[in-house]
Amino acid sequence: MATARVVSQPTEKLDDSGIVAASLEDPEAFGELFRRHSPRLHAYIKRRLGLTLADDVVAEAFATAFRQRERFDGRAEFGAWLWGIASNLIARHHRQETRMYRAFARTGVDPAEDGVAELVSDRVAAAAHGPQLAKALASLSSQDRSAVLLLAWGELSYAEIAATLDLPLGTVKAKIHRARIKLRKALPGEKNDG
C-alpha cells in the first residue's frame, strides 16, 4: 500500500505560528524564525549587555524557544514570546548591564558601541547626554529598565512589551511613564513636564 506524501509549504510563506508547528515535524524549519527575528533581537541585546554577551544571549534565547516550542500555544505572537524569553535571560545579567551603564556614566564611552557611527548628530547627542542617561538607566529597576528599553531600542509596541514582560498593559504604560520622567530629570536642560 502506498502512503501519501504530505507536501508542506516553504517556511518563508508561513506565519511564525505555522513555522513553530512545522518545526515539530521538521526541526530545521525553526531556522526561518531565527532568520526573521534574530537581527532585531541581537541589536537590542547588544545595546543592553554589549556585543560580548549579545551573541550568547540570542543563541540561548533561540535554543530555549526551540526546546520549549511544544509549549508555544499561539495565544501571543511568537516574537513577544521570544522577547519574553530573552528578557528573562537579560535579567540574569542585570549586574553586568548595571556595570556597563555606570562605566559609561563615568567615562562617557559607550561600551555597547561598535565604532560605526550611523549619524554624526546622533553621536554628538549621545556624547553630550550619554553619561547622564547611562547613570539614570543604571538607577532604574530591572523591570522598569526593560520596559523603557524594549520601547526605545527594541521598538516594540506597548502591547508587545506587556506580552514580553507578562504584565498588564496599564502597568507597562505606567512603568514607561515613570521611567521617562526619571530619565528626563537626569538630562541637563530637559524640562520635566510629566
Side-chain angles (χ1 to χ4, degrees):
M1 182 189 302
T3 54
R5 184 167 181 241
V6 177
V7 178
S8 62
Q9 282 185 301
T11 55
E12 301 86 33
K13 294 184 180 183
L14 295 174
D15 67 5
D16 290 349
S17 294
I19 294 171
V20 173
S23 75
L24 296 173
E25 294 293 320
D26 178 14
E28 290 184 19
F30 202 82
E32 176 64 18
L33 294 169
F34 183 84
R35 186 189 67 72
R36 289 180 185 181
H37 295 277
S38 66
R40 190 169 144 204
L41 186 63
H42 188 276
Y44 170 72
I45 294 172
K46 184 179 103 176
R47 291 295 307 146
R48 294 283 308 262
L49 300 175
L51 184 58
T52 305
L53 286 174
D55 293 339
D56 293 341
V57 173
V58 169
E60 191 174 348
F62 275 97
T64 300
F66 180 78
R67 283 191 309 272
Q68 297 178 1
R69 69 191 187 281
E70 289 180 359
R71 293 174 41 194
F72 177 71
D73 59 13
R75 285 185 289 171
E77 292 291 324
F78 174 80
W81 186 66
L82 175 68
W83 283 67
I85 292 169
S87 291
N88 290 335
L89 295 170
I90 289 168
R92 292 183 192 165
H93 296 283
H94 175 73
R95 284 190 301 257
Q96 168 64 21
E97 182 182 31
T98 301
R99 280 192 299 270
M100 274 183 39
Y101 288 129
R102 286 184 180 145
F104 186 16
R106 276 191 320 276
T107 66
V109 177
D110 186 351
E113 185 63 43
D114 62 6
V116 179
E118 292 179 0
L119 297 171
V120 173
S121 62
D122 288 348
R123 297 276 300 186
V124 170
H129 296 297
Q132 294 91 354
L133 183 59
K135 185 176 181 181
L137 284 168
S139 73
L140 295 175
S141 74
S142 178
Q143 198 173 62
D144 289 355
R145 182 167 50 218
S146 289
V148 77
L149 293 179
L150 283 167
L151 179 70
W153 292 343
E155 299 178 1
L156 270 61
S157 69
Y158 285 98
E160 290 171 321
I161 295 166
T164 297
L165 298 178
D166 195 24
L167 293 171
L169 181 60
T171 301
V172 167
K173 288 179 178 181
K175 284 181 172 297
I176 290 172
H177 177 73
R178 285 191 306 269
R180 282 179 166 166
I181 290 170
K182 192 169 188 176
L183 295 174
R184 280 187 199 117
K185 285 181 181 177
L187 296 177
E190 295 294 321
K191 291 182 180 177
N192 182 14
D193 55 7

